[in-house]
Amino acid sequence: MRQLIIRGGQRLSGALEVEGAKNAALPILCATILTDAEVILRNVPHLQDVVTIVELLKALGKRVEQPERNVYRITAQGRLRAEVPAELVRRMRASFLVLGPLLARLGEARVSLPGGCVLGPRPVDLHLKGLAQIGAEIGLVQGGVEARGRLHGAEIYLDYPSVGATEQLLLAAAAIPERTVIRNPAFEPEVEDLAHFLEAMGARITWGREIEVHGAERLHGADYRIIPDRINAGTYMIGVALAGGRARIGCRPAHLEALLRKLRECGARIEEEENAISIESSGELQPLELETGPYPGFPTDLQPQMTALLSVARGTSIVRERVFPDRFAYVPQLVRMGAQIRVSDSTAIIKGVAHLEGAAVQATDIRAGAALVLAGLAAQAETVVLDEGHLARGYSDIARDLRALGTKIRWEDQD
Ligand code: EPZ
């Protein structure tokens, strides 16, 4: 177990470029299953989850090289295997996205049901229902999925604009040389980045109220650069607003409209450039109401970080979580730091306090851990965040990034 020691009370200042988007890199790495040709991926983030998906690609028969820290070269070496090692899928939910591409290429696939963050039950029924609509015969055998069949084009309707289900279906449809339409899809920038990558491989995809895919039997290789991580950029913007100070964060402002609106509403001053934002804050923040939702709504992955910020706003705020009903497991940890938060019916009522108290707290998932680190910026004295590997799954080094903004923060191995 490692722990992060944060000394609170300093203002932030400096500049930071975030790495590539985790939630774009993972489905794009899965998409390399669709071709035997060489694929070069650039701006791939240096994360534990990327290591996991690379292990999985190698287990399926791909050769994966890493000529540079953020560059991967993927080629085929022999036949693809249809069986995915259960341990890797249970470790990380995104591994489930290999089901569609394996099925599209081999006509069969066996994948165990996913694990990943404990954000309440995280079913994959929409993935399976969609794959069945394009011709897959799906069987559930002892905690795993067996799928087979020759896939064909179809018009699919998603009951909920699920990010994963949309990506699963894009990955399969890209290899079907017919027309497939996905109705009520997710429009997250990471889904769009996957679509752009599939187009670079030879699929034709039109992106409107619904997504229309004309796949290809044989997809070719590509050399592709992944978009910046808007959730990590947003995490650091919230840190600056919360602690006070001024910083320039490299990102795509267009991917963060909902967050920028809310940060302005609580009093931060923000200037937007093409590939960066500058944010300035006095640290005196106004309370507000926010509700998470599918893109372009407020991202659920920034909900814990915003709740940490609102814990020290000048008044009472309301945060409604509409994507993962029980995404408030981190709240008792904030309360240990003196926050006044009540949660009921997936809604947090936050009564702002003048400041938080440093304490020893525990990260319960990637974004909960990030929220506790940000809370440490607003706390008096020292905060210790105990972390059993959650943070490294989503942030290549959150301490390095916050030190670049002037924070006194360090990792320690817990004895
Ligand atoms: C992706 O998860 C992200 N993960 C999550 O980020 C993110 O929070 C989420 O999208 C929402 O934006 C990756 O991209 C790897 P969903 P995903 O399918 O695909 C329900 C992080 O920290 N649902 O849009 O699992 C589901 O239970 C992670 O980086 C079904 O009911 O999200 C949830 O309530 C955390 N049936 C809602 O939809 C299904 O078949 C949204 O899930 C699929 C989903």
Side-chain angles (χ1 to χ4, degrees):
M1 177 97 81
R2 287 206 305 172
Q3 56 191 26
L4 262 175
I5 319 284
I6 304 118
R7 169 154 291 286
Q10 313 114 42
R11 297 169 70 77
L12 299 193
S13 70
L16 183 64
E17 287 290 332
V18 295
E19 293 195 357
K22 166 173 90 79
N23 292 349
L26 298 179
I28 286 171
L29 281 159
C30 294
T32 62
I33 290 171
L34 293 170
T35 181
D36 288 341
E38 177 186 84
V39 171
I40 305 283
L41 296 178
R42 301 177 192 283
N43 200 33
V44 180
H46 194 78
L47 298 174
Q48 184 51 48
D49 276 7
V50 169
V51 170
T52 302
I53 209 91
V54 165
E55 272 176 54
L56 200 156
L57 291 177
K58 288 177 177 172
L60 290 174
K62 289 296 228 182
R63 177 200 306 278
V64 184
E65 295 154 281
Q66 190 180 358
E68 293 166 41
R69 174 184 161 91
N70 299 105
V71 179
Y72 283 78
R73 181 173 172 276
I74 300 114
T75 50
Q77 58 176 10
R79 268 184 62 75
L80 267 182
R81 294 185 194 88
E83 177 93 32
V84 178
E87 191 277 319
L88 292 173
V89 179
R90 268 197 287 278
R91 194 194 308 172
M92 182 185 66
R93 178 181 173 81
S95 316
F96 194 67
L97 291 176
V98 300
L99 175 65
L102 281 179
L103 185 57
R105 276 211 72 187
L106 305 177
E108 60 167 332
R110 280 175 298 289
V111 185
S112 77
L113 287 168
C117 286
V118 180
L119 292 176
R122 292 183 69 186
V124 286
D125 55 317
L126 300 176
H127 296 236
L128 302 181
K129 226 167 108 180
L131 288 173
Q133 289 176 60
I134 54 175
E137 289 146 43
I138 308 270
L140 288 175
V141 284
Q142 69 252 53
V145 173
E146 268 204 13
R148 64 181 67 258
R150 204 171 139 54
L151 301 185
H152 56 71
E155 298 200 357
I156 304 164
Y157 178 78
L158 285 178
D159 297 338
Y160 178 88
S162 150
V163 168
T166 306
E167 292 168 343
Q168 185 81 256
L169 294 165
L170 273 173
L171 287 162
I176 303 171
E178 297 170 21
R179 176 178 174 275
T180 301
V181 177
I182 306 172
R183 298 224 151 84
N184 192 30
F187 287 110
E188 268 69 2
E190 296 76 23
V191 179
E192 189 177 24
D193 210 27
L194 169 65
H196 288 162
F197 175 65
L198 293 170
E199 286 178 307
M201 292 173 78
R204 278 187 298 115
I205 300 176
T206 44
W207 184 266
R209 273 175 42 76
E210 53 202 27
I211 303 177
E212 183 168 318
V213 184
H214 290 267
E217 197 94 50
R218 291 182 64 74
L219 290 163
H220 49 71
D223 183 327
Y224 191 80
R225 183 176 178 77
I226 286 164
I227 56 172
D229 193 310
R230 66 190 169 106
I231 302 300
N232 292 9
T235 300
Y236 299 126
M237 290 176 206
I238 294 169
V240 175
L242 166 59
R246 176 178 173 73
R248 184 172 184 279
I249 313 272
C251 64
R252 292 270 181 80
H255 292 165
L256 279 164
E257 282 308 305
L259 173 68
L260 299 183
R261 249 197 318 277
K262 287 299 170 186
L263 288 177
R264 287 181 169 122
E265 192 180 330
C266 70
R269 277 178 304 291
I270 290 167
E271 286 144 40
E272 298 178 38
E273 302 167 38
E274 165 111 20
N275 289 306
I277 68 102
S278 291
I279 178 167
E280 186 165 3
S281 163
S282 64
E284 308 254 318
L285 302 165
Q286 299 308 311
L288 51 76
E289 293 197 22
L290 81 80
E291 175 165 315
T292 66
Y295 192 83
F298 190 91
T300 174
D301 289 352
L302 288 173
Q303 176 264 91
Q305 299 90 316
M306 273 307 277
T307 301
L309 176 149
L310 295 169
S311 303
V312 291
R314 302 262 178 280
T316 299
S317 302
I318 298 179
V319 172
R320 296 184 184 83
E321 173 57 56
R322 292 285 176 268
V323 178
F324 293 111
D326 47 3
R327 191 171 199 167
F328 286 111
Y330 63 92
V331 166
Q333 303 295 318
L334 281 181
V335 171
R336 278 170 59 82
M337 298 176 70
Q340 293 185 17
I341 307 174
R342 212 165 25 82
V343 176
S344 67
D345 290 338
S346 307
T347 300
I349 316 284
I350 307 149
K351 191 170 176 309
V353 295
H355 57 74
L356 297 174
E357 301 299 330
V361 288
Q362 170 105 31
T364 47
D365 70 62
I366 307 174
R367 310 303 170 183
L372 294 171
V373 172
L374 298 188
L377 301 176
Q380 311 245 316
E382 273 193 355
T383 296
V384 177
V385 179
L386 293 168
D387 173 43
E388 54 203 15
H390 294 297
L391 280 165
R393 287 189 50 198
Y395 298 85
S396 59
D397 188 341
I398 195 165
R400 174 203 62 204
D401 292 345
L402 285 172
R403 267 199 300 276
L405 299 180
T407 305
K408 285 191 180 54
I409 178 171
R410 68 183 190 282
W411 284 107
E412 246 179 31
D413 286 327
Q414 200 214 12
D415 39 39

